[in-house]
Amino acid sequence: MARRPDRKRCIIVTVVVVALFIIVLGLVLGLTLRKEPEQFETTFINRCEKFKGYDCNKLWTAFEQAYVGQDPCKVTVEDYDPFIAAASFKPACNRMMFWSKTKDIVHAFTAKNPCFVTLEDTVLGGVADGLTWCGKEGSSETFTTGCPGWSDCENNTVRSFWNKASAAFADAACGNVTAMLNGAVDTPFSSTSIFGSIEMPRFTSPTVKRLNIVLLTQTNSGANCTNASLKELQNTLAKGITYSCSEMTEAQLQQCSSKPCGNCW
């Protein structure tokens, strides 16, 4: 009979320990769930601050208002209009670089060669490059998981953003513009890509004078400048804009990136 109080005491202690564990676990999970939007906002602001002349808090507010509290499949390109207006930038005539299926290569190139500027090298695209985000109806938070993918719905949060940002970047194109395409695929130019369906159709003469295509090729394989898809590109290019195509290997591009500003192709 003398042992029963000890046993009872052990049971009480166990129950208390389990209860405390559950409470602590709940707090940790709660903090983790709240951490996601905070991290996203911090990343956005930190990236924005690398560009001079912008009110990054204002940019964040305009960006967030485009999708927060909304069905992530019902965010239109127009919802990002306030952000696009706040993220306006000075056009870089003769230096603007577009790309399709060459993202990593083109960004490695512009990182070494400041003569050229991609959308992601401006505040317009730099704040969101590589990120995923969305809102949810009835919520004031930003989510970075559980968001619809690019092809899940037409008006999803990320897709609408890049369509709008790409259009704004193309609207600023002037002088000689360059596009880096992938010669390792059968159709370097696709009329359904962002470059083919959104950016290139916005090039108009005389604002844009010339389109230089840099086709990244592989030795003895892939496409070249006579590719049928590039003929289609020429046929759909606005009248008054001249066209050129240069084939380059990655090794040649690396050599070009180390040269001072000038014509590499």
Side-chain angles (χ1 to χ4, degrees):
M1 297 294 291
R3 294 181 178 178
R4 293 184 66 182
D6 291 338
R7 185 180 177 185
K8 186 176 181 180
R9 194 178 300 114
C10 288
I11 293 173
I12 293 172
V13 170
T14 301
V15 171
V16 171
V17 170
V18 171
L20 287 172
F21 175 77
I22 293 173
I23 292 171
V24 171
L25 181 62
L27 288 172
V28 170
L29 288 175
L31 288 172
T32 301
L33 291 173
R34 286 195 293 269
K35 207 172 181 180
E36 271 189 0
E38 292 173 2
Q39 288 180 336
F40 185 89
E41 180 181 353
T42 298
T43 299
F44 182 101
I45 296 293
N46 287 344
R47 289 184 176 189
C48 174
E49 289 175 346
K50 294 179 181 179
F51 300 92
K52 296 180 179 179
Y54 293 96
D55 183 335
C56 294
N57 290 319
K58 179 181 177 181
L59 271 183
W60 166 251
T61 299
F63 179 84
E64 183 186 36
Q65 287 178 348
Y67 63 84
V68 74
Q70 293 197 51
D71 182 327
C73 278
K74 295 182 180 179
V75 178
T76 67
V77 293
E78 290 79 15
D79 288 327
Y80 286 102
D81 282 346
F83 168 77
I84 298 298
S88 61
F89 63 98
K90 184 178 180 180
C93 293
N94 303 313
R95 298 174 53 215
M96 297 180 73
M97 172 79 78
F98 297 81
W99 57 270
S100 183
K101 301 175 185 176
T102 56
K103 180 179 180 178
D104 291 341
I105 297 173
V106 75
H107 288 152
F109 173 73
T110 58
K112 295 179 180 178
N113 193 325
C115 304
F116 295 94
V117 178
T118 68
L119 167 60
E120 295 78 12
D121 295 320
T122 69
V123 71
L124 189 64
V127 291
D129 186 28
L131 302 180
T132 298
W133 68 94
C134 65
K136 290 183 180 179
E137 288 183 298
S139 173
S140 60
E141 294 187 4
T142 294
F143 298 88
T144 57
T145 57
C147 300
W150 189 274
S151 59
D152 289 339
C153 49
E154 183 176 354
N155 290 326
N156 78 66
T157 313
V158 176
R159 181 175 182 172
S160 290
F161 171 80
W162 286 112
N163 285 349
K164 185 64 178 183
S166 297
F169 188 68
D171 284 339
C174 49
N176 299 330
V177 300
T178 305
M180 193 175 292
L181 306 182
N182 191 345
V185 297
D186 293 335
T187 53
F189 172 75
S190 171
S191 59
T192 60
S193 66
I194 285 183
F195 174 67
S197 64
I198 294 176
E199 295 172 332
M200 200 186 80
R202 305 180 95 85
F203 299 162
T204 57
S205 176
T207 305
V208 173
K209 297 180 179 180
R210 185 179 187 85
L211 173 61
N212 302 313
I213 296 297
V214 177
L215 188 65
L216 291 180
T217 60
Q218 296 180 346
T219 306
N220 300 323
S221 64
N224 56 36
C225 284
T226 62
N227 185 270
S229 70
L230 296 179
K231 294 295 183 182
E232 177 190 355
L233 184 157
Q234 286 181 264
N235 292 334
T236 56
L237 190 62
K239 291 183 178 180
I241 301 176
T242 58
Y243 169 89
S244 71
C245 179
S246 302
E247 299 169 15
M248 295 190 75
T249 63
E250 286 191 40
Q252 290 173 322
L253 188 66
Q254 288 289 337
Q255 293 177 353
C256 179
S257 66
S258 61
K259 293 181 180 179
C261 291
N263 292 326
C264 292
W265 35 76

